[in-house]
Amino acid sequence: MALTSNRLSETLTRKARSTLGLRFGRFAVAAISAFVTTEVVLTICAGPLHLSATWASLIAWFSGALVSYVLSRWAWRRKGRPNLLRETVPFWVVSAMVVAILWVATKFAYHAATWLNLTGVERILFVDLVYGVANLGTFLLRFLFFHYVLFAASPGRPAPAVAEEALASTDPGPEPFVRALEPEDAAGPDGAEPDRER
């Protein structure tokens, strides 16, 4: 059982250190930051500002999308001016699809809160919960699109820092056929150094 646990732990550690694992981790930070931003803005819009579901979801989504855009570029180590057609426009197209899902979820949450006779804090928390579940549902889809389409390296041209990440993620470990020399093996039987020219 311990051997299986150790192998699983080693496999997970190796995957986490891979390029995909590192990017997924950085994207998770970006997604969590965007999620927190949208939840805070949605709470303000649905609570104190008493905005409609449409305006609340749009303002919350746009706030989170700005955070997501900046941090997604960081997650894939993009620097300098973004390419409008290859990066910026596709990002906002995907974001528009996400906002459609979030808008439907928010509309549903507003109506469901009314059906359930929720008011005050209960209503706000219920709307936040439904919006949050919908947001988390889009997380994996966005990651796959960003990793394999939007920020994928062009054919023949590796993405920046891929080589450095690959080197950092490899663990050479012990050589399988090399054994340490015992003290008596290091020197010959008469105390002389072994012949190394063979």
Side-chain angles (χ1 to χ4, degrees):
M1 188 69 167
L3 182 60
T4 304
S5 175
N6 285 343
R7 284 184 180 167
L8 179 62
S9 149
E10 288 171 6
T11 301
L12 291 175
T13 302
R14 191 169 51 251
K15 296 282 185 192
R17 289 181 180 174
S18 70
T19 301
L20 182 64
L22 292 171
R23 285 183 180 161
F24 186 83
R26 288 196 298 261
F27 182 69
V29 170
I32 290 168
S33 302
F35 176 73
V36 169
T37 302
T38 58
E39 285 291 332
V40 168
V41 172
L42 181 69
T43 301
I44 293 167
C45 291
L49 297 180
H50 301 289
L51 296 179
S52 68
T54 300
W55 282 109
S57 61
L58 281 174
I59 293 170
W61 160 79
F62 187 72
S63 304
L66 285 176
V67 171
S68 178
Y69 181 69
V70 171
L71 292 181
S72 292
R73 294 194 84 235
W74 162 78
W76 273 269
R77 297 190 176 196
R78 298 293 189 192
K79 295 178 182 174
R81 189 174 179 178
N83 184 309
L84 183 67
L85 294 177
R86 289 189 195 165
E87 188 176 312
T88 306
V89 171
F91 177 89
W92 288 103
V93 168
V94 169
S95 295
M97 293 178 197
V98 169
V99 76
I101 294 168
L102 297 180
W103 175 74
V104 169
T106 307
K107 284 288 252 187
F108 168 77
Y110 270 55
H111 289 299
T114 302
W115 300 330
L116 297 170
N117 296 318
L118 300 177
T119 57
V121 174
E122 288 179 339
R123 177 182 171 276
I124 295 168
L125 290 176
F126 180 76
V127 170
D128 282 345
L129 176 67
V130 173
Y131 185 88
V133 169
N135 209 333
L136 290 173
T138 64
F139 168 77
L140 186 58
L141 295 174
R142 284 181 289 150
F143 174 76
L144 293 173
F145 178 78
F146 291 167
H147 184 71
Y148 291 109
V149 179
L150 186 61
F151 295 120
S154 302
R157 279 177 31 192
V162 169
E164 291 87 351
E165 286 181 12
L167 288 174
S169 68
T170 56
D171 180 16
E175 292 291 331
F177 301 108
V178 175
R179 67 178 179 87
L181 292 174
E182 297 293 330
E184 59 269 14
D185 291 342
D190 57 352
E193 286 291 313
D195 186 7
R196 302 209 180 266
E197 294 190 1
R198 280 193 265 166

